[in-house]
Amino acid sequence: LTETRRVQTETAQGNTIDRYLDRFEENEDKATVTTVVQESQAFKSAMRSASAIGECIADKAAVDYARRAISFNPDTQNADVIRRVLTSDLSDPKSFVNKLGVPAYTALASAFHVDAYGKISLATDDDGNAVMVDTYFDKVLGNSNTQLIEAARGILDYNVALPKVATMDDFLADGDVVNFALKAFDLDGEKLTTADIKAILTSDLSDADSVAGKYGDKRYLEFAAAFNFATDGTIERDMTRVQSVSDMLTTQDLFLRQRMEEEAGEESNGVRLALYFKRTAGDISNIYEFLADDRLLAFIKTTFSLPDE
């Protein structure tokens, strides 16, 4: 069997989401949104597997998700009561759930839809969002924190919509997917037209004069490299490249930095050492790395006026 044609590899999809989360300054916010999205995806997956109401009630993970969303303790509830709540008609004042008058039960009933055959599914709002998932977002992320909720909903929708993209037209027609990707690569403020986006994504990245390359900005190259569009707009099969575009840019950057160091060294050895330190400082983890590297040691000795002894 040939490889599946995907608009993004799983790795690229994950990297795109990581880039999107990097827009948040606080690591705690990133971790919270990531956890909420993972739990919500697991819940929706469990609901797709649970075709009957009994299976849903028996799924502890799904019930726990609902518990956290609407604040009720399933351990103290009778399974038959929950079943009767879920099958109640909210529009009927005399229905079981309305007679109980318990807000948590009413919220539980409104988040699911059960047909006459006992098949259960998630209720959705006018925008097509699952009521239970939105309730969970509000509860865990705080209904006033619209930025975190928007991020969680955006990632969840991106993960659902992306596998359905089969052509360039599919991609460009889904405004939410396009906007999410542009934000992830910090291109949402560049006012790119549909034609611009198509030209970038179909660039030949091996050609320095391609559309993505002509911008002179690696964001465009990384945006184009994140997707599997060929130059004719079709989707390439997943492939392993000798070097990713991101790695290629890193290699070029290192080459240019080292050339700068060499040229600066011809003018001043101190400048060369400073540039070398700037390039390598981020990878230093202990004092022995200074002692093992003559150039780093020379930089430190010069900076702090340390004698050779």
Side-chain angles (χ1 to χ4, degrees):
L1 295 177
T2 58
E3 291 289 339
T4 303
R5 292 180 186 269
R6 291 173 52 98
V7 68
Q8 270 192 318
T9 64
E10 291 184 7
T11 299
Q13 183 176 340
N15 289 339
T16 299
I17 291 172
D18 287 342
R19 283 174 174 270
Y20 185 87
L21 287 172
D22 283 341
R23 296 168 68 92
F24 294 107
E25 295 181 358
E26 299 295 333
N27 288 330
E28 184 178 350
D29 289 340
K30 298 177 189 178
T32 301
V33 171
T34 299
T35 300
V36 166
V37 169
Q38 290 173 342
E39 291 173 345
S40 298
Q41 286 181 160
F43 171 71
K44 294 182 76 172
S45 177
M47 289 304 303
R48 285 193 295 270
S49 300
S51 58
I53 187 171
E55 294 175 352
C56 178
I57 295 175
D59 191 316
K60 293 183 179 179
V63 172
D64 185 63
Y65 185 93
R67 173 190 64 78
R68 294 183 63 189
I70 60 179
S71 301
F72 80 100
N73 185 359
D75 295 333
T76 63
Q77 312 301 318
N78 183 286
D80 185 59
V81 171
I82 295 178
R83 184 188 302 273
R84 294 182 67 185
V85 165
L86 292 175
T87 55
S88 290
D89 183 357
L90 285 171
S91 64
D92 181 4
K94 297 182 179 180
S95 66
F96 180 75
V97 68
N98 285 329
K99 281 187 175 181
L100 288 177
V102 179
Y105 283 148
T106 303
L108 183 65
S110 64
F112 295 93
H113 173 71
V114 181
D115 64 19
Y117 300 98
K119 185 175 181 179
I120 190 168
S121 59
L122 292 174
T124 57
D125 59 20
D126 294 337
D127 295 324
N129 298 316
V131 173
M132 178 58 77
V133 174
D134 276 353
T135 303
Y136 187 80
F137 285 169
D138 288 344
K139 185 71 173 181
V140 179
L141 298 176
N143 55 17
S144 62
N145 199 331
T146 55
Q147 189 179 19
L148 291 184
I149 291 177
E150 180 185 352
R153 185 180 290 120
I155 294 171
L156 198 61
D157 291 344
Y158 188 74
N159 283 337
V160 171
L162 197 67
K164 299 176 183 178
V165 174
T167 66
M168 173 66 77
D169 289 339
D170 291 343
F171 179 81
L172 296 175
D174 194 323
D176 292 335
V177 169
V178 172
N179 290 334
F180 183 92
L182 291 176
K183 285 183 180 180
F185 288 88
D186 197 25
L187 294 173
D188 50 316
E190 300 301 325
K191 298 181 180 179
L192 298 172
T193 66
T194 299
D196 292 334
I197 295 170
K198 183 175 182 178
I200 292 167
L201 292 177
T202 55
S203 292
D204 180 359
L205 297 180
S206 64
D207 181 2
D209 292 326
S210 66
V211 174
K214 283 184 175 180
Y215 283 94
D217 187 329
K218 69 178 183 179
R219 291 178 301 164
Y220 294 90
L221 291 170
E222 290 173 341
F223 175 56
F227 295 89
N228 290 338
F229 290 112
T231 54
D232 61 357
T234 59
I235 297 177
E236 295 178 334
R237 300 190 193 281
D238 291 354
M239 63 181 68
T240 301
R241 301 183 181 185
V242 66
Q243 189 176 44
S244 69
V245 171
S246 178
D247 290 339
M248 180 185 72
L249 291 169
T250 301
T251 303
Q252 291 175 351
D253 186 52
L254 287 173
F255 174 78
L256 292 173
R257 284 172 180 265
Q258 289 172 350
R259 286 290 301 274
M260 282 175 57
E261 291 170 20
E262 292 170 2
E263 292 174 4
E266 295 175 1
E267 300 289 334
S268 168
N269 190 52
V271 173
R272 181 178 184 180
L273 290 176
L275 289 172
Y276 178 76
F277 175 78
K278 184 176 182 180
R279 175 164 61 86
T280 58
D283 297 323
I284 297 170
S285 59
N286 60 70
I287 188 62
Y288 298 105
E289 293 181 31
F290 285 114
L291 301 177
D293 191 315
D294 292 338
R295 286 174 291 180
L296 286 177
L297 185 58
F299 175 82
I300 293 298
K301 285 164 62 178
T302 302
T303 303
F304 297 101
S305 301
L306 300 176
D308 291 339
E309 294 78 15

